[in-house]
Amino acid sequence: MTEQSLLEQEPTLQPSREVVQFNGEDDALTTIARVAASGAPRETIEQLKSLVEWKDARDAKAQFNASFSKAKQEFKQAKQSGYNRHLNSKYSTLRDFDNATKEALSRHGLSWRHVVKTIEANTSVTCIIAHEGGHYESCEMQAPSTCMTNKAVNELQSVGIVKTYLQRMTLAAMLGLVSD
């Protein structure tokens, strides 16, 4: 095979329309825009976007973990202002948990919320702990919506009792709270 025939078989590379120059002060989107403007293939741009998203998610999770660790050290002991007369015992209410944690969470850019759903005959509660940097973590619990129905509690009241109980349990689980 001659040298001329080898050259004819090799694919030819198209030069970029411009040389991409990186500036250490450019943010990720500016860099991607420069690469796109240079005529880079779509696949390359998509890979760069995926890499930036991965790095941002990793950084946000690290910020979340650092903030959560600091906030947890500042949590107060949750009071036990609730009383279960059937079991003759005290317990921490959702308000008690909130009062014990909200200042520390807020100081470190963290917050919590619940999403409540009815799935067939169950109540589902998802507790979400979110950080201002964008990372969040969650846990979900379900229970039969009317499991607390008895002579003193109708079905609608049972749904409320189950919802509140699941909110307390998911928040305690997510924040690592101990109330006894």
Side-chain angles (χ1 to χ4, degrees):
M1 203 177 261
T2 68
E3 186 176 296
Q4 180 63 32
S5 64
L6 282 174
L7 288 175
E8 291 172 358
Q9 290 178 355
E10 292 180 10
T12 57
L13 298 174
Q14 296 292 326
S16 297
R17 285 179 262 161
E18 80 176 58
V19 174
V20 179
Q21 294 184 351
F22 297 99
N23 177 339
E25 297 175 11
D26 285 349
D27 65 9
L29 292 177
T30 302
T31 301
I32 292 172
R34 287 177 188 251
V35 170
S38 75
R42 176 182 279 276
E43 296 81 31
T44 301
I45 296 166
E46 291 298 325
Q47 288 174 340
L48 284 172
K49 285 174 40 183
S50 293
L51 183 61
V52 168
E53 289 169 357
W54 171 82
K55 183 186 180 314
D56 288 349
R58 193 181 90 195
D59 291 348
K61 185 172 185 175
Q63 291 172 0
F64 174 95
N65 288 334
S67 293
F68 185 81
S69 178
K70 290 174 187 172
K72 182 138 174 61
Q73 293 174 13
E74 298 174 21
F75 290 171
K76 300 172 189 167
Q77 176 66 37
K79 293 180 181 178
Q80 293 184 326
S81 66
Y83 180 73
N84 183 327
R85 65 176 183 236
H86 302 289
L87 299 176
N88 193 28
S89 64
K90 292 183 175 185
Y91 64 91
S92 296
T93 65
L94 192 58
R95 183 176 305 238
D96 292 333
F97 286 151
D98 186 42
N99 288 337
T101 63
K102 67 182 169 188
E103 290 176 9
L105 290 170
S106 181
R107 191 172 13 265
H108 296 285
L110 296 157
S111 64
W112 60 267
R113 66 184 180 277
H114 285 105
V115 177
V116 180
K117 296 179 185 174
T118 301
I119 303 171
E120 296 179 13
N122 287 335
T123 296
S124 167
V125 171
T126 302
C127 181
I128 301 166
I129 309 295
H131 184 260
E132 64 190 1
H135 182 76
Y136 67 91
E137 296 188 4
S138 64
C139 80
E140 176 185 5
M141 290 179 75
Q142 291 185 24
S145 298
T146 57
C147 67
M148 294 301 297
T149 304
N150 59 40
K151 291 180 184 178
V153 176
N154 66 37
E155 286 187 11
L156 188 55
Q157 290 168 321
S158 178
V159 171
I161 292 168
V162 169
K163 176 191 76 86
T164 303
Y165 180 82
L166 293 176
Q167 286 175 320
R168 286 189 300 115
M169 294 304 103
T170 55
L171 183 62
M174 289 297 294
L175 296 180
L177 301 176
V178 179
S179 66
D180 48 25

